[in-house]
Amino acid sequence: MISEILKGNLTEKEVEIKGWIHNKRSSGSIVFFIIRDGSGIIQAVGKKDELKNFEEIEKLTLESSIKIKGIVKKEERAPGGYEVEIKEMNILQRADEDFPFMRKHKFNVNFIMKNRHLWLRSEKMFKVLTIRSEVIQQIRNWFLENGYKEFQSPIFVSGACEGGSTLFEVNYFGRKAYLTQSWQLYAEAAIFSLGKIFTIAPSFRAEKSKTRRHLTEYWHVEAEIPFCGLDDLLKEEESLVCYVCNKIGEKFENWLKEFGRDAKYLKGLSPPFPRIKYKEAIEILQNKNVNIQYGNDLGADEEKILTQEFETPFFVTHFPKGIKAFYHKIDRENPNVTLSADLLAPEGYGEIIGSGEREDNYQILKKRVEEEGLSVKEYKWYLDLRRYGSVQHSGFGLGLERFIMWICKLKHIRETIAFPRLIGKIHF
Ligand code: ATP
Ligand code: MN
């Protein structure tokens, strides 16, 4: 595997690589290939006087699949610092000439979306999706190291969690069901059995406006924790975010640099993150002449301005109850606000986590359901949870793609996922 070669333990050894011709240049008697094998990318050199099929090899098309045997050499000038001197090359399949993505050209978004199945092979996608895989792995590590169990909830659901306007409706044997927006309500039922739980699962939102940070199908990292209040919740969130950023910074220094992200920054992140209350956020914005009133939700534009005040992710807490879903716990000291918190990433990225304490009092929750015009009957099962051993509990939801977008300093959320589902069209 190329990744093993790049670690430096195979220098001067013979290796076999099965992969694809990522790029190629030739000078008549010597041909330089860039080879990709799923684990990494490396330069391989073939010489006319050493290879019996040199002429065929020299004419090979990009993306042809090949098998090579060769010797690993240290080579400072090659990307990654190593190259392979090819001793033997077998062609597995010669790719057609018309591969749509010739390297080093620029392609427009529409073309990329239509040819996504082939665009996955680009260096950018290879690197981002490799980092994505590692981010998921590290998230799971953190949860398991911290005593959480992994729990799955249904994708078909009967009611809204995050508000009706972004629900995807499906026909479920003649009655209405929806695609889940969040596992939360089910998770709240499960903590009474399992204790601290987490999931990494898709959530669906029929987003009505086109933005850089909304998908209609995204991966949601969610946690639900019994016997946990807002302060402890924020500690869990910042611990998870720092853990993952530290690991990714350590593992992908060079790739992150190519994306414009300094790995030192990620490695240096440590708790605690700054905390401001919603009220202070509004004051900061008003002092900057932003036209916003107490009670308005923070949109992408407002969040962007707030992020200029911070170098690290930061929490905005205690949102007024009017802009948060019915299940948020009312602050007993100030009944106009909820014990809620969003975590915002700096550099204009904005919200990556939504979280808070859940209302655990039966009467207050029932009143909130009614106030929001929801059906008490439909939420009976959810209200039940406040009747049988109710406890203070909290949870959070982190958008995996938002997190990766910020870590890798990407401009658009579609760059963080293989086959993005965006407002409008599904290409395939
Ligand atoms: P926003 O105001 O940015 O739409 P939200 O308040 O709807 O976010 P929550 O309901 O709190 O978000 O969801 C938890 C997290 O899920 C968010 O912090 C974000 O990281 C992520 N998220 C929400 N909606 C989307 C989406 N459409 N695409 C990608 N990630 C999303
Ligand atoms: Mn939203």
Side-chain angles (χ1 to χ4, degrees):
M1 288 217 302
I2 290 172
S3 57
E4 291 301 314
I5 299 173
L6 295 175
K7 281 182 196 156
N9 304 327
L10 294 168
T11 313
E12 298 302 329
K13 302 246 163 63
E14 189 181 272
V15 292
E16 184 185 283
I17 298 173
K18 291 180 205 151
W20 298 268
I21 310 281
H22 188 71
N23 211 346
K24 191 189 81 175
R25 86 195 136 83
S26 169
S27 71
S29 60
I30 181 162
V31 54
F32 292 92
F33 292 110
I34 301 292
I35 310 276
R36 206 180 65 233
D37 78 342
S39 79
I41 296 180
I42 199 166
Q43 177 164 297
V45 215
K47 292 183 185 139
K48 192 171 182 172
D49 51 11
E50 286 183 20
L51 293 167
K52 57 181 187 309
N53 55 350
F54 183 81
E55 264 151 43
E56 193 187 6
I57 286 172
E58 203 212 351
K59 289 198 215 83
L60 257 186
T61 44
L62 293 195
E63 290 304 317
S64 291
S65 46
I66 45 99
K67 185 167 96 177
I68 60 175
K69 283 199 177 120
I71 309 291
V72 177
K73 298 281 171 189
K74 206 163 169 42
E75 173 54 71
E76 295 302 339
R77 287 165 299 176
Y82 295 90
E83 73 177 14
V84 176
E85 263 181 32
I86 305 173
K87 297 298 167 203
E88 198 184 310
M89 180 185 278
N90 297 315
I91 299 159
L92 304 177
Q93 193 250 336
R94 187 177 195 280
D96 286 359
E97 308 273 346
D98 57 353
F99 186 72
F101 298 107
M102 290 307 166
R103 309 296 170 205
K104 304 255 183 266
H105 291 268
K106 288 240 175 240
F107 302 97
N108 77 41
V109 174
N110 209 15
F111 186 78
I112 288 176
M113 290 302 279
K114 277 193 193 140
N115 292 284
R116 200 76 181 177
H117 57 308
L118 302 174
W119 178 247
L120 294 191
R121 307 175 187 198
S122 65
E123 224 161 296
K124 179 89 172 265
M125 276 279 111
F126 163 65
K127 289 173 180 169
V128 172
L129 294 177
T130 300
I131 293 175
R132 180 183 166 108
S133 165
E134 188 67 27
V135 167
I136 292 176
Q137 165 115 16
Q138 295 301 343
I139 288 172
R140 191 166 272 126
N141 286 350
W142 183 87
F143 278 117
L144 297 175
E145 284 172 18
N146 285 281
Y148 289 77
K149 289 178 188 147
E150 191 158 357
F151 170 78
Q152 290 80 30
S153 75
I155 302 288
F156 285 131
V157 301
S158 60
C161 182
E162 288 306 317
S165 70
T166 63
L167 276 177
F168 274 111
E169 193 178 305
V170 288
N171 179 340
Y172 196 79
F173 302 103
R175 60 158 287 193
K176 277 182 195 168
Y178 308 93
L179 298 179
T180 185
Q181 297 167 308
S182 163
W183 82 328
Q184 182 194 320
L185 305 190
Y186 298 96
E188 284 184 67
I191 54 170
F192 291 85
S193 167
L194 297 173
K196 291 159 58 158
I197 50 175
F198 78 99
T199 201
I200 305 174
S203 277
F204 302 86
R205 310 235 175 148
E207 302 290 353
K208 303 287 189 297
S209 49
K210 214 171 182 167
T211 75
R212 290 169 179 277
R213 59 179 203 168
H214 288 91
L215 294 162
T216 57
E217 174 183 316
Y218 72 98
W219 285 75
H220 209 167
V221 177
E222 296 188 85
E224 198 66 31
I225 315 162
F227 311 105
C228 176
L230 190 63
D231 284 345
D232 288 336
L233 176 68
L234 302 195
K235 287 184 189 145
E236 295 293 285
E237 294 175 25
E238 60 199 2
S239 167
L240 167 66
V241 167
C242 290
Y243 178 95
V244 176
C245 289
N246 296 167
K247 298 275 182 186
I248 297 298
E250 270 163 37
K251 288 203 170 184
F252 296 103
E253 189 167 338
N254 292 335
W255 293 1
L256 290 166
K257 197 162 152 198
E258 290 169 24
F259 297 151
R261 165 68 67 217
D262 183 1
K264 269 205 240 80
Y265 170 78
L266 295 179
K267 284 191 275 189
L269 282 176
S270 65
F273 292 150
R275 289 141 165 75
I276 56 166
K277 292 197 163 141
Y278 167 87
K279 192 164 158 280
E280 296 167 64
I282 296 296
E283 283 160 13
I284 294 174
L285 290 167
Q286 286 174 341
N287 285 336
K288 296 194 163 210
N289 294 320
V290 178
N291 182 13
I292 190 167
Q293 310 307 325
Y294 184 93
N296 297 154
D297 203 358
L298 305 175
D301 292 341
E302 291 80 30
E303 285 183 8
K304 191 167 181 178
I305 296 166
L306 277 181
T307 69
Q308 291 162 2
E309 307 285 304
F310 300 91
E311 302 275 303
T312 69
F314 60 99
F315 291 105
V316 181
T317 68
H318 299 85
F319 287 83
K321 85 175 184 191
I323 53 173
K324 287 287 173 188
F326 72 95
Y327 53 74
H328 282 93
K329 185 164 174 171
I330 302 293
D331 186 348
R332 302 299 191 251
E333 276 149 38
N334 178 1
N336 295 320
V337 306
T338 56
L339 298 174
S340 52
D342 285 359
L343 183 69
L344 275 59
E347 303 164 336
Y349 283 94
E351 182 181 339
I352 56 173
I353 297 185
S355 67
E357 259 189 64
R358 318 311 191 185
E359 185 54 69
D360 48 41
N361 177 279
Y362 180 82
Q363 295 304 340
I364 299 176
L365 184 62
K366 183 157 169 273
K367 201 166 136 244
R368 290 289 291 131
V369 169
E370 286 162 352
E371 272 174 13
E372 297 290 314
L374 301 166
S375 143
V376 172
K377 202 171 133 216
E378 204 180 307
Y379 285 97
K380 180 192 175 294
W381 70 271
Y382 185 66
L383 287 161
D384 268 355
L385 305 174
R386 279 68 183 167
R387 299 202 298 132
Y388 304 109
S390 190
V391 292
Q392 185 183 36
H393 65 288
S394 302
F396 65 85
L398 170 136
L400 179 69
E401 289 80 12
R402 296 248 183 117
F403 190 31
I404 294 168
M405 191 178 160
W406 166 64
I407 288 178
C408 294
K409 223 171 171 165
L410 302 173
K411 290 204 175 67
H412 199 292
I413 198 163
R414 66 176 167 242
E415 298 176 73
T416 64
I417 185 163
F419 294 99
R421 296 302 180 228
L422 295 155
I423 178 173
K425 188 154 151 192
I426 293 185
H427 284 87
F428 48 85

